[in-house]
Amino acid sequence: MLESRKTRVLEDRFSNKQPLTDAEARSLIKTVDRVLIARGSNVREQKSSETTLADLRGPSGKFRAPMVRKGATLLVGFSQEALQRILR
């Protein structure tokens, strides 16, 4: 999907080899205005100022993947619909 939309990836990181630290996640949240959190078929939108690290974690306690930032929006977890929406 990213290639067909000619989307440039600035950083590609595998969460199992280089897990995101809490400090990195906090910094990432500060760079956006809104956060979309995908859990199964549900996608919840919230302001970054209301987002906690716990919101970004999955049931295993690790940060959900993928995390995609485009402009002022961060998508956490996989949702094809939400990804298509932010890549418009």
Side-chain angles (χ1 to χ4, degrees):
M1 177 188 308
L2 297 176
E3 293 160 358
S4 66
R5 294 182 183 264
K6 298 180 182 177
T7 302
R8 187 171 55 136
V9 176
L10 296 179
E11 181 180 352
D12 191 5
R13 182 172 173 171
F14 293 97
S15 60
N16 58 346
K17 293 182 180 178
Q18 290 180 294
L20 202 62
T21 66
D22 288 358
E24 290 171 321
R26 281 188 201 93
S27 293
L28 185 56
I29 292 170
K30 289 179 183 178
T31 67
V32 297
D33 295 329
R34 69 183 184 140
V35 179
L36 303 174
I37 300 169
R39 291 188 173 168
S41 61
N42 298 323
V43 178
R44 182 181 61 187
E45 181 176 337
Q46 60 192 49
K47 295 178 183 177
S48 62
S49 60
E50 299 170 351
T51 302
T52 66
L53 294 182
D55 293 327
L56 307 183
R57 295 186 191 279
S60 69
K62 296 179 182 180
F63 291 112
R64 290 184 176 280
M67 286 191 188
V68 178
R69 182 177 65 90
K70 180 171 185 227
T73 302
L74 176 65
L75 171 62
V76 179
F78 182 76
S79 166
Q80 186 167 355
E81 179 184 314
L83 184 58
Q84 288 173 339
R85 195 169 68 207
I86 68 169
L87 292 179
R88 287 185 195 161

